[in-house]
Amino acid sequence: MNSLSQEQTQSGSRELLEKYDKEMRFRILKSRWQAVLVTLLAAGLSLYQLYTSAFPLFNTHPHRAIHLGVILALVFLLYPLGRKSPRDRIAWYDAILALMGLATAVYVVADFAGIVQRGTTLYNTTDLIFSIATVLLVLEAGRRVIGWGLPVLALLFMLYAVYGREFPLDAFAHRGYTWEDTLAYMFMGLEGIYGTAIGVSASYIFLFILFGAVLSKSGMGQFFNDLALALAGSSKGGPAKVAVLSSAFLGSINGSAVANVVTTGAFTIPLMKKIGYQRNFAGAVEASASVGGQVLPPVMGAAAFIMAETLGIPYSTIALAALLPALLYYVSVLTQVHLRADRLGLKGIPRSEIPRVRDVLKERGHLVIPLLFLIYMLFFTNVTILYTAFWTILVTLAVASLRKTTRMSLRDLIDALEEGARSAIGVAMACAVVGIIVGVAALTGFGLNLAQGIIDFGNGNLFFTLLFAMAASILLGMGVPSIPAYVITVTMAAPALVELGVQPLVAHMFVFYFGIFANLTPPVALAAFAAAGISGGSPMRTGWSAVKLSAAGFIVPYMFVYSDQLLLVNAGWAEGLGLAVTAAAGVLMLGAAVEGYLLSPLSPLLRLVLGAGSLLLIDPGLITDLAGAGVGALVFLRQWWRKRNQTDGISLSG
């Protein structure tokens, strides 16, 4: 590809990202000193976060305030006020807002002892001024980075806190709080803006985003693409399988479905269309594969760290629980991709046009070492996640230097530090805004009231409550990054499931899944819409195709609520292996039922029968497994016999 076509591709990718991912609508600064200022601030934040992960300097509240204060400054320096605001320079009023953002952190650090002593009720005038300023800065910065949705929702929650006495529904009415009390609650304690969400952003999330930036700078993205191409490129429908594998690898680390679609989709979608996949289907493959990366260990888009913090259980437990459902999801997607290629007679890429696995591993295979080190530290040691992230980043830098093609220069390192901080902006701002929502829910008891409302609406029936929780999770997750989507849904919907006897981990995983898959569900399916922008297909049709491809992602959560062995909860390795085999067989059958093809086209009745058999196999249990296997065997034998007779008929007539 020549330099001109590369520039055109990059320009097109940026336009798509700006259209579907508001985090990418940042300024391109022409002034050298302004660009250097942003680099110093961003790289400085990354170095601070890296150093304090191993050698803490401040208590919880000041540390979170520093993290948010610098992020606020970066937002106002990088993101314009509106479409007519300058995109190539920092406006004077944004410079003032950036200084105000830093000032909020300085105040918390300088008067931390006084803030602790006064708490959220004995605030003084200065406390109130900084409370008002911080809330307004967070709402405005959130609007610039992630759009109107979350800030407006946060503002509505604050109105609810103040005017709760007049709320029309008695079940949700409360005594009401003054504006001063509500604002101080958001700033002075650790239940509002500086709550758990921003706390996890200021620790685990930032470091793993930085880890992803360092990996990316070392060429890990190219390694994933080349490895997937070498492994699956020449097989039937190869480019689609390459899209699934590379997007799974990359999506597990970077945590952004839209960015993943644009990054890998610019390469994979044209290849899929070239060999004969229809453009809506090609976009749907990339979208469903990219979204699935957020439920795939080891990193899971960083939301798993909030889950571990919220539930108070080890991260390794979360990752282990997520492993089997995530693999089942990708088995289902790969099955449909393969069957579609078989039905259409699509071939793969000629072997002469793809790299060899040996050559790919020889060139960049050493980049797997940091991932193996990360897995070892998370699962086989008792060290903290922060300590793990700190050493994993250092190991990545050391391993990348082993070969010239992956070795990073000082400029590359500075770029990685800056990119890490820039990539963390969207997550941090979403967490800060969500802090307001969660803070109001805690202050007013709204979360508990909503949980009871969901239970009452479902008439105390678990299945109907699951349906309402799913709908609420998808609705709340539309157009929202995965991490705040999880925080909101787990605050609003998960307590209802726990109240009905569902284990907390299972309830959290359930709402997490559906909050994530809101990225694929029309009418606001950002990942699918971005993929349609690359493929040239219809956004809505691409979205519905992605929902079909992701069928396992919509079914498996129900299965693990009723049979938590799918999350390997209270299951040994032998039992876990047996579950994996039978569930994988069930997912294969589900993929065939959704696609309507096995060895030949399936009638509607056979699709229904095969779908029912797949659910029996996914649901753990000897009786259900035997019944599901029997159904699958009968359908397969019928298909085989029919295809054999057709083949024999062709031979005889020939």
Side-chain angles (χ1 to χ4, degrees), residues 409-421:
S409 64
L410 179 60
R411 179 72 255 178
D412 290 333
L413 180 57
I414 293 173
D415 287 345
L417 292 171
E418 180 180 0
E419 184 58 33

Side-chain angles (χ1 to χ4, degrees), residues 314-480:
Y315 168 79
S316 56
T317 302
I318 303 289
L320 185 62
L323 181 60
L324 184 54
L327 293 178
L328 293 176
Y329 172 79
Y330 277 106
V331 168
S332 176
V333 175
L334 284 169
T335 299
Q336 292 183 64
V337 161
H338 177 82
L339 292 175
R340 177 68 62 97
D342 192 26
R343 184 169 68 177
L344 298 177
L346 305 182
K347 306 298 182 183
I349 304 171
R351 287 191 176 273
S352 59
E353 297 179 15
I354 62 175
R356 294 186 300 177
V357 174
R358 182 176 61 185
D359 294 337
V360 173
L361 293 176
K362 182 179 179 181
E363 186 69 19
R364 287 192 170 91
H366 58 290
L367 295 178
V368 176
I369 294 174
L371 293 176
L372 296 177
F373 178 81
L374 172 64
I375 292 170
Y376 169 76
M377 293 290 283
L378 287 174
F379 287 92
F380 301 103
T381 68
N382 293 319
V383 300
T384 65
I385 299 176
L386 287 178
Y387 191 78
T388 296
F390 173 79
W391 279 107
T392 301
I393 291 172
L394 295 186
V395 167
T396 303
L397 293 172
V399 169
S401 67
L402 294 177
R403 291 188 65 85
K404 185 177 180 179
T405 52
T406 59
R407 189 175 301 136
M408 285 182 278
S409 64
L410 179 60
R411 179 72 255 178
D412 290 333
L413 180 57
I414 293 173
D415 287 345
L417 292 171
E418 180 180 0
E419 184 58 33
R422 280 173 171 255
S423 299
I425 287 174
V427 174
M429 286 317 310
C431 288
V433 177
V434 164
I436 296 175
I437 298 171
V438 174
V440 170
L443 181 65
T444 62
F446 177 82
L448 295 176
N449 291 335
L450 181 61
Q452 188 58 51
I454 292 174
I455 293 172
D456 293 341
F457 203 58
N459 201 27
N461 181 281
L462 178 59
F463 179 73
F464 288 119
T465 303
L466 288 172
L467 286 177
F468 295 134
M470 177 189 73
S473 299
I474 291 175
L475 183 64
L476 292 169
M478 284 183 177
V480 178

